Each structure stands twice: as C-alpha cells, then as structure tokens.
Amino acid sequence: METAERFRAAVEKGQLAALEDLFTEDIRLYSPVKFTPFEGRPMVLGLFGVLLRTFEDFRYAGHFEGTAETAADGEDAPSAILLFRATVDGKQIHGIDLLQFDGAGRIKEFTVMVRPQSAVHALGRAVLAGLVADGLVPEAVAR
C-alpha cells in the first residue's frame, strides 16, 4: 500500500508535515497509554510531533499487509502492520503500528501496541510531558 510506504518514510525521516495528507480529517489513534483514542487530524498530528521528538533510534523493522476490522465501525478495512524498534528514556521498545485505510487510501484508524510494560510506562510519561509542553492537554491532566 502506497500510503503505508509514504507514512513509513515520513516517520523515519521525521517529516511531520508529510503526514498531514495521509490522515483522514477524523482519524482515530489508539494509544497503548490512553484508553480513549486521540481523535481528529490536528490532535493526531500534534501527538506525532511529540512522538518524533520522544523516540530515540526509531526504525521500522517489518511490514505486513492485509485486512482487519476497525474499532470504530467494525468494518473490514485494508490494513498494514509496521513493526518498529526504538528507545525512550533508556528503555528498549518493540512495537507495532496498525494502519487502517479508508476508500481513498488515507489512514482512518491507527493503533499502536508496545512492549515491555516498563517501556510503556516510560513512553507514557514522556508523551504526556510533551503534550503538556505543546499545549495539547492541560497541565492538570499530568498531575
């Protein structure tokens, strides 16, 4: 899927602006550190800005394609899974990005899964601090 390759290249090169056209306006991102999804292109782009600054030594290590049921509407959608490796606050992270596409090939749903648990905690702390610093969530949420 062309969108998955464009997404991968933009993330690996740290090109936040290149992601905007790849997302639907109402994209939902399901995070391993937050129960409810991040919703809407502006919020998801803001989150990616934080992630691109937070991850160290980020690289994709695999790519699979197929279809999968979306969380929002339960419909099967063309999908890609990108396996990644990174470091956050000294913790090694292994994870996957599940990208699900609309009929035009844009990413409508995005699910991130990360292991081990210690890395999930480190990632959660770092991302929350970045979201507060960027004004995307109120500081009261961080307390």
PDB file of all heavy atoms in Angstrom, residues 76-106:
ATOM      1  N   ASP A  76     -14.355  -4.378   7.905  1.00  0.00           N
ATOM      2  CA  ASP A  76     -13.028  -4.757   7.430  1.00  0.00           C
ATOM      3  C   ASP A  76     -12.471  -3.626   6.584  1.00  0.00           C
ATOM      4  O   ASP A  76     -13.190  -3.037   5.764  1.00  0.00           O
ATOM      5  CB  ASP A  76     -13.086  -6.029   6.586  1.00  0.00           C
ATOM      6  CG  ASP A  76     -13.097  -7.289   7.440  1.00  0.00           C
ATOM      7  OD1 ASP A  76     -12.911  -7.179   8.664  1.00  0.00           O
ATOM      8  OD2 ASP A  76     -13.300  -8.377   6.880  1.00  0.00           O
ATOM      9  N   ALA A  77     -11.200  -3.324   6.794  1.00  0.00           N
ATOM     10  CA  ALA A  77     -10.548  -2.256   6.044  1.00  0.00           C
ATOM     11  C   ALA A  77      -9.173  -2.727   5.603  1.00  0.00           C
ATOM     12  O   ALA A  77      -8.524  -3.508   6.316  1.00  0.00           O
ATOM     13  CB  ALA A  77     -10.412  -1.006   6.915  1.00  0.00           C
ATOM     14  N   PRO A  78      -8.712  -2.258   4.439  1.00  0.00           N
ATOM     15  CA  PRO A  78      -7.326  -2.540   4.065  1.00  0.00           C
ATOM     16  C   PRO A  78      -6.418  -2.041   5.186  1.00  0.00           C
ATOM     17  O   PRO A  78      -6.640  -0.960   5.730  1.00  0.00           O
ATOM     18  CB  PRO A  78      -7.115  -1.733   2.788  1.00  0.00           C
ATOM     19  CG  PRO A  78      -8.479  -1.388   2.301  1.00  0.00           C
ATOM     20  CD  PRO A  78      -9.381  -1.371   3.496  1.00  0.00           C
ATOM     21  N   SER A  79      -5.402  -2.840   5.518  1.00  0.00           N
ATOM     22  CA  SER A  79      -4.583  -2.533   6.680  1.00  0.00           C
ATOM     23  C   SER A  79      -3.126  -2.879   6.429  1.00  0.00           C
ATOM     24  O   SER A  79      -2.813  -3.729   5.597  1.00  0.00           O
ATOM     25  CB  SER A  79      -5.068  -3.336   7.894  1.00  0.00           C
ATOM     26  OG  SER A  79      -6.431  -3.098   8.143  1.00  0.00           O
ATOM     27  N   ALA A  80      -2.250  -2.220   7.173  1.00  0.00           N
ATOM     28  CA  ALA A  80      -0.826  -2.536   7.152  1.00  0.00           C
ATOM     29  C   ALA A  80      -0.330  -2.539   8.594  1.00  0.00           C
ATOM     30  O   ALA A  80      -0.777  -1.737   9.417  1.00  0.00           O
ATOM     31  CB  ALA A  80      -0.054  -1.520   6.324  1.00  0.00           C
ATOM     32  N   ILE A  81       0.569  -3.449   8.883  1.00  0.00           N
ATOM     33  CA  ILE A  81       1.224  -3.500  10.189  1.00  0.00           C
ATOM     34  C   ILE A  81       2.703  -3.218   9.961  1.00  0.00           C
ATOM     35  O   ILE A  81       3.353  -3.865   9.133  1.00  0.00           O
ATOM     36  CB  ILE A  81       1.056  -4.874  10.858  1.00  0.00           C
ATOM     37  CG1 ILE A  81      -0.416  -5.134  11.178  1.00  0.00           C
ATOM     38  CG2 ILE A  81       1.911  -4.963  12.124  1.00  0.00           C
ATOM     39  CD1 ILE A  81      -0.700  -6.523  11.704  1.00  0.00           C
ATOM     40  N   LEU A  82       3.202  -2.220  10.686  1.00  0.00           N
ATOM     41  CA  LEU A  82       4.618  -1.868  10.626  1.00  0.00           C
ATOM     42  C   LEU A  82       5.235  -2.182  11.991  1.00  0.00           C
ATOM     43  O   LEU A  82       4.808  -1.632  13.003  1.00  0.00           O
ATOM     44  CB  LEU A  82       4.791  -0.387  10.304  1.00  0.00           C
ATOM     45  CG  LEU A  82       4.157   0.099   9.000  1.00  0.00           C
ATOM     46  CD1 LEU A  82       4.305   1.609   8.873  1.00  0.00           C
ATOM     47  CD2 LEU A  82       4.790  -0.598   7.812  1.00  0.00           C
ATOM     48  N   LEU A  83       6.218  -3.068  12.024  1.00  0.00           N
ATOM     49  CA  LEU A  83       6.929  -3.386  13.257  1.00  0.00           C
ATOM     50  C   LEU A  83       8.022  -2.356  13.475  1.00  0.00           C
ATOM     51  O   LEU A  83       8.707  -1.977  12.519  1.00  0.00           O
ATOM     52  CB  LEU A  83       7.572  -4.771  13.161  1.00  0.00           C
ATOM     53  CG  LEU A  83       6.630  -5.955  13.220  1.00  0.00           C
ATOM     54  CD1 LEU A  83       5.931  -6.158  11.906  1.00  0.00           C
ATOM     55  CD2 LEU A  83       7.392  -7.191  13.597  1.00  0.00           C
ATOM     56  N   PHE A  84       8.189  -1.894  14.712  1.00  0.00           N
ATOM     57  CA  PHE A  84       9.232  -0.905  14.967  1.00  0.00           C
ATOM     58  C   PHE A  84      10.038  -1.221  16.214  1.00  0.00           C
ATOM     59  O   PHE A  84       9.617  -1.996  17.071  1.00  0.00           O
ATOM     60  CB  PHE A  84       8.663   0.513  15.032  1.00  0.00           C
ATOM     61  CG  PHE A  84       7.758   0.800  16.196  1.00  0.00           C
ATOM     62  CD1 PHE A  84       8.267   1.192  17.427  1.00  0.00           C
ATOM     63  CD2 PHE A  84       6.376   0.710  16.058  1.00  0.00           C
ATOM     64  CE1 PHE A  84       7.428   1.475  18.495  1.00  0.00           C
ATOM     65  CE2 PHE A  84       5.527   0.994  17.118  1.00  0.00           C
ATOM     66  CZ  PHE A  84       6.052   1.370  18.345  1.00  0.00           C
ATOM     67  N   ARG A  85      11.205  -0.595  16.279  1.00  0.00           N
ATOM     68  CA  ARG A  85      12.105  -0.645  17.426  1.00  0.00           C
ATOM     69  C   ARG A  85      12.509   0.788  17.734  1.00  0.00           C
ATOM     70  O   ARG A  85      12.697   1.595  16.831  1.00  0.00           O
ATOM     71  CB  ARG A  85      13.376  -1.451  17.125  1.00  0.00           C
ATOM     72  CG  ARG A  85      13.126  -2.859  16.629  1.00  0.00           C
ATOM     73  CD  ARG A  85      12.709  -3.779  17.764  1.00  0.00           C
ATOM     74  NE  ARG A  85      12.611  -5.153  17.317  1.00  0.00           N
ATOM     75  CZ  ARG A  85      11.480  -5.761  17.000  1.00  0.00           C
ATOM     76  NH1 ARG A  85      10.341  -5.109  17.039  1.00  0.00           N
ATOM     77  NH2 ARG A  85      11.468  -7.021  16.630  1.00  0.00           N
ATOM     78  N   ALA A  86      12.666   1.090  19.022  1.00  0.00           N
ATOM     79  CA  ALA A  86      13.078   2.429  19.426  1.00  0.00           C
ATOM     80  C   ALA A  86      13.550   2.376  20.864  1.00  0.00           C
ATOM     81  O   ALA A  86      13.466   1.344  21.534  1.00  0.00           O
ATOM     82  CB  ALA A  86      11.925   3.421  19.283  1.00  0.00           C
ATOM     83  N   THR A  87      14.015   3.529  21.352  1.00  0.00           N
ATOM     84  CA  THR A  87      14.393   3.699  22.747  1.00  0.00           C
ATOM     85  C   THR A  87      13.691   4.944  23.263  1.00  0.00           C
ATOM     86  O   THR A  87      13.586   5.940  22.541  1.00  0.00           O
ATOM     87  CB  THR A  87      15.924   3.876  22.879  1.00  0.00           C
ATOM     88  OG1 THR A  87      16.568   2.767  22.269  1.00  0.00           O
ATOM     89  CG2 THR A  87      16.346   3.971  24.330  1.00  0.00           C
ATOM     90  N   VAL A  88      13.191   4.864  24.495  1.00  0.00           N
ATOM     91  CA  VAL A  88      12.624   6.025  25.179  1.00  0.00           C
ATOM     92  C   VAL A  88      13.154   6.009  26.604  1.00  0.00           C
ATOM     93  O   VAL A  88      12.989   5.012  27.316  1.00  0.00           O
ATOM     94  CB  VAL A  88      11.079   6.002  25.180  1.00  0.00           C
ATOM     95  CG1 VAL A  88      10.535   7.106  26.070  1.00  0.00           C
ATOM     96  CG2 VAL A  88      10.530   6.138  23.776  1.00  0.00           C
ATOM     97  N   ASP A  89      13.796   7.088  26.984  1.00  0.00           N
ATOM     98  CA  ASP A  89      14.307   7.227  28.353  1.00  0.00           C
ATOM     99  C   ASP A  89      15.137   6.004  28.763  1.00  0.00           C
ATOM    100  O   ASP A  89      14.996   5.486  29.856  1.00  0.00           O
ATOM    101  CB  ASP A  89      13.145   7.457  29.321  1.00  0.00           C
ATOM    102  CG  ASP A  89      13.595   7.993  30.667  1.00  0.00           C
ATOM    103  OD1 ASP A  89      14.669   8.628  30.735  1.00  0.00           O
ATOM    104  OD2 ASP A  89      12.875   7.764  31.655  1.00  0.00           O
ATOM    105  N   GLY A  90      15.957   5.521  27.841  1.00  0.00           N
ATOM    106  CA  GLY A  90      16.828   4.382  28.117  1.00  0.00           C
ATOM    107  C   GLY A  90      16.173   3.021  28.027  1.00  0.00           C
ATOM    108  O   GLY A  90      16.833   2.011  28.199  1.00  0.00           O
ATOM    109  N   LYS A  91      14.864   2.981  27.754  1.00  0.00           N
ATOM    110  CA  LYS A  91      14.135   1.707  27.669  1.00  0.00           C
ATOM    111  C   LYS A  91      13.986   1.292  26.205  1.00  0.00           C
ATOM    112  O   LYS A  91      13.546   2.070  25.362  1.00  0.00           O
ATOM    113  CB  LYS A  91      12.724   1.831  28.271  1.00  0.00           C
ATOM    114  CG  LYS A  91      12.698   2.287  29.704  1.00  0.00           C
ATOM    115  CD  LYS A  91      13.078   1.177  30.620  1.00  0.00           C
ATOM    116  CE  LYS A  91      12.932   1.639  32.061  1.00  0.00           C
ATOM    117  NZ  LYS A  91      13.543   0.739  32.972  1.00  0.00           N
ATOM    118  N   GLN A  92      14.356   0.046  25.916  1.00  0.00           N
ATOM    119  CA  GLN A  92      14.163  -0.516  24.579  1.00  0.00           C
ATOM    120  C   GLN A  92      12.681  -0.800  24.361  1.00  0.00           C
ATOM    121  O   GLN A  92      12.042  -1.380  25.245  1.00  0.00           O
ATOM    122  CB  GLN A  92      14.954  -1.822  24.434  1.00  0.00           C
ATOM    123  CG  GLN A  92      16.444  -1.635  24.462  1.00  0.00           C
ATOM    124  CD  GLN A  92      16.956  -1.035  23.165  1.00  0.00           C
ATOM    125  OE1 GLN A  92      16.401  -1.262  22.106  1.00  0.00           O
ATOM    126  NE2 GLN A  92      18.008  -0.253  23.268  1.00  0.00           N
ATOM    127  N   ILE A  93      12.178  -0.412  23.218  1.00  0.00           N
ATOM    128  CA  ILE A  93      10.768  -0.622  22.886  1.00  0.00           C
ATOM    129  C   ILE A  93      10.664  -1.473  21.631  1.00  0.00           C
ATOM    130  O   ILE A  93      11.383  -1.240  20.659  1.00  0.00           O
ATOM    131  CB  ILE A  93      10.054   0.725  22.638  1.00  0.00           C
ATOM    132  CG1 ILE A  93       9.992   1.534  23.925  1.00  0.00           C
ATOM    133  CG2 ILE A  93       8.667   0.520  22.059  1.00  0.00           C
ATOM    134  CD1 ILE A  93       9.360   2.897  23.752  1.00  0.00           C
ATOM    135  N   HIS A  94       9.767  -2.435  21.678  1.00  0.00           N
ATOM    136  CA  HIS A  94       9.351  -3.179  20.492  1.00  0.00           C
ATOM    137  C   HIS A  94       7.881  -2.865  20.320  1.00  0.00           C
ATOM    138  O   HIS A  94       7.127  -2.876  21.298  1.00  0.00           O
ATOM    139  CB  HIS A  94       9.515  -4.682  20.685  1.00  0.00           C
ATOM    140  CG  HIS A  94      10.927  -5.123  20.827  1.00  0.00           C
ATOM    141  ND1 HIS A  94      11.270  -6.432  20.939  1.00  0.00           N
ATOM    142  CD2 HIS A  94      12.094  -4.438  20.863  1.00  0.00           C
ATOM    143  CE1 HIS A  94      12.574  -6.546  21.047  1.00  0.00           C
ATOM    144  NE2 HIS A  94      13.093  -5.339  21.011  1.00  0.00           N
ATOM    145  N   GLY A  95       7.454  -2.590  19.087  1.00  0.00           N
ATOM    146  CA  GLY A  95       6.054  -2.271  18.909  1.00  0.00           C
ATOM    147  C   GLY A  95       5.572  -2.496  17.494  1.00  0.00           C
ATOM    148  O   GLY A  95       6.350  -2.841  16.599  1.00  0.00           O
ATOM    149  N   ILE A  96       4.270  -2.305  17.348  1.00  0.00           N
ATOM    150  CA  ILE A  96       3.672  -2.347  16.019  1.00  0.00           C
ATOM    151  C   ILE A  96       2.743  -1.151  15.854  1.00  0.00           C
ATOM    152  O   ILE A  96       2.138  -0.670  16.806  1.00  0.00           O
ATOM    153  CB  ILE A  96       2.885  -3.648  15.737  1.00  0.00           C
ATOM    154  CG1 ILE A  96       1.657  -3.767  16.637  1.00  0.00           C
ATOM    155  CG2 ILE A  96       3.775  -4.866  15.841  1.00  0.00           C
ATOM    156  CD1 ILE A  96       0.685  -4.841  16.177  1.00  0.00           C
ATOM    157  N   ASP A  97       2.673  -0.665  14.636  1.00  0.00           N
ATOM    158  CA  ASP A  97       1.691   0.323  14.224  1.00  0.00           C
ATOM    159  C   ASP A  97       0.733  -0.388  13.280  1.00  0.00           C
ATOM    160  O   ASP A  97       1.162  -0.957  12.278  1.00  0.00           O
ATOM    161  CB  ASP A  97       2.344   1.486  13.468  1.00  0.00           C
ATOM    162  CG  ASP A  97       3.201   2.375  14.345  1.00  0.00           C
ATOM    163  OD1 ASP A  97       2.966   2.394  15.571  1.00  0.00           O
ATOM    164  OD2 ASP A  97       4.088   3.062  13.810  1.00  0.00           O
ATOM    165  N   LEU A  98      -0.549  -0.403  13.622  1.00  0.00           N
ATOM    166  CA  LEU A  98      -1.583  -0.950  12.749  1.00  0.00           C
ATOM    167  C   LEU A  98      -2.263   0.225  12.076  1.00  0.00           C
ATOM    168  O   LEU A  98      -2.913   1.038  12.738  1.00  0.00           O
ATOM    169  CB  LEU A  98      -2.605  -1.774  13.546  1.00  0.00           C
ATOM    170  CG  LEU A  98      -3.875  -2.199  12.801  1.00  0.00           C
ATOM    171  CD1 LEU A  98      -3.560  -3.056  11.586  1.00  0.00           C
ATOM    172  CD2 LEU A  98      -4.825  -2.906  13.751  1.00  0.00           C
ATOM    173  N   LEU A  99      -2.081   0.352  10.769  1.00  0.00           N
ATOM    174  CA  LEU A  99      -2.683   1.421   9.984  1.00  0.00           C
ATOM    175  C   LEU A  99      -3.873   0.843   9.231  1.00  0.00           C
ATOM    176  O   LEU A  99      -3.749  -0.208   8.591  1.00  0.00           O
ATOM    177  CB  LEU A  99      -1.690   1.976   8.960  1.00  0.00           C
ATOM    178  CG  LEU A  99      -0.521   2.813   9.462  1.00  0.00           C
ATOM    179  CD1 LEU A  99       0.435   1.999  10.303  1.00  0.00           C
ATOM    180  CD2 LEU A  99       0.212   3.421   8.295  1.00  0.00           C
ATOM    181  N   GLN A 100      -5.025   1.520   9.303  1.00  0.00           N
ATOM    182  CA  GLN A 100      -6.210   1.072   8.579  1.00  0.00           C
ATOM    183  C   GLN A 100      -6.681   2.214   7.689  1.00  0.00           C
ATOM    184  O   GLN A 100      -6.718   3.372   8.114  1.00  0.00           O
ATOM    185  CB  GLN A 100      -7.280   0.612   9.553  1.00  0.00           C
ATOM    186  CG  GLN A 100      -6.755  -0.603  10.325  1.00  0.00           C
ATOM    187  CD  GLN A 100      -7.757  -1.178  11.261  1.00  0.00           C
ATOM    188  OE1 GLN A 100      -7.907  -0.685  12.367  1.00  0.00           O
ATOM    189  NE2 GLN A 100      -8.441  -2.215  10.809  1.00  0.00           N
ATOM    190  N   PHE A 101      -7.039   1.873   6.452  1.00  0.00           N
ATOM    191  CA  PHE A 101      -7.240   2.863   5.411  1.00  0.00           C
ATOM    192  C   PHE A 101      -8.696   3.007   4.992  1.00  0.00           C
ATOM    193  O   PHE A 101      -9.463   2.039   5.025  1.00  0.00           O
ATOM    194  CB  PHE A 101      -6.401   2.488   4.184  1.00  0.00           C
ATOM    195  CG  PHE A 101      -4.954   2.249   4.522  1.00  0.00           C
ATOM    196  CD1 PHE A 101      -4.472   0.965   4.721  1.00  0.00           C
ATOM    197  CD2 PHE A 101      -4.081   3.309   4.678  1.00  0.00           C
ATOM    198  CE1 PHE A 101      -3.145   0.735   5.042  1.00  0.00           C
ATOM    199  CE2 PHE A 101      -2.748   3.100   5.010  1.00  0.00           C
ATOM    200  CZ  PHE A 101      -2.277   1.805   5.193  1.00  0.00           C
ATOM    201  N   ASP A 102      -9.046   4.221   4.571  1.00  0.00           N
ATOM    202  CA  ASP A 102     -10.375   4.453   4.003  1.00  0.00           C
ATOM    203  C   ASP A 102     -10.349   4.114   2.513  1.00  0.00           C
ATOM    204  O   ASP A 102      -9.316   3.676   1.982  1.00  0.00           O
ATOM    205  CB  ASP A 102     -10.845   5.890   4.264  1.00  0.00           C
ATOM    206  CG  ASP A 102     -10.102   6.956   3.474  1.00  0.00           C
ATOM    207  OD1 ASP A 102      -9.189   6.639   2.662  1.00  0.00           O
ATOM    208  OD2 ASP A 102     -10.432   8.147   3.654  1.00  0.00           O
ATOM    209  N   GLY A 103     -11.457   4.339   1.824  1.00  0.00           N
ATOM    210  CA  GLY A 103     -11.567   4.022   0.407  1.00  0.00           C
ATOM    211  C   GLY A 103     -10.612   4.809  -0.476  1.00  0.00           C
ATOM    212  O   GLY A 103     -10.247   4.358  -1.564  1.00  0.00           O
ATOM    213  N   ALA A 104     -10.171   5.976  -0.014  1.00  0.00           N
ATOM    214  CA  ALA A 104      -9.237   6.803  -0.778  1.00  0.00           C
ATOM    215  C   ALA A 104      -7.784   6.479  -0.439  1.00  0.00           C
ATOM    216  O   ALA A 104      -6.872   7.115  -0.976  1.00  0.00           O
ATOM    217  CB  ALA A 104      -9.523   8.285  -0.523  1.00  0.00           C
ATOM    218  N   GLY A 105      -7.571   5.521   0.468  1.00  0.00           N
ATOM    219  CA  GLY A 105      -6.219   5.129   0.823  1.00  0.00           C
ATOM    220  C   GLY A 105      -5.586   5.952   1.928  1.00  0.00           C
ATOM    221  O   GLY A 105      -4.405   5.807   2.214  1.00  0.00           O
ATOM    222  N   ARG A 106      -6.368   6.808   2.577  1.00  0.00           N
ATOM    223  CA  ARG A 106      -5.836   7.585   3.703  1.00  0.00           C
ATOM    224  C   ARG A 106      -6.017   6.805   5.003  1.00  0.00           C
ATOM    225  O   ARG A 106      -6.915   5.982   5.127  1.00  0.00           O
ATOM    226  CB  ARG A 106      -6.532   8.942   3.795  1.00  0.00           C
ATOM    227  CG  ARG A 106      -6.140   9.865   2.635  1.00  0.00           C
ATOM    228  CD  ARG A 106      -6.919  11.131   2.670  1.00  0.00           C
ATOM    229  NE  ARG A 106      -8.329  10.743   2.555  1.00  0.00           N
ATOM    230  CZ  ARG A 106      -9.348  11.512   2.853  1.00  0.00           C
ATOM    231  NH1 ARG A 106      -9.154  12.728   3.278  1.00  0.00           N
ATOM    232  NH2 ARG A 106     -10.584  11.089   2.713  1.00  0.00           N
TER     233      ARG A 106
END
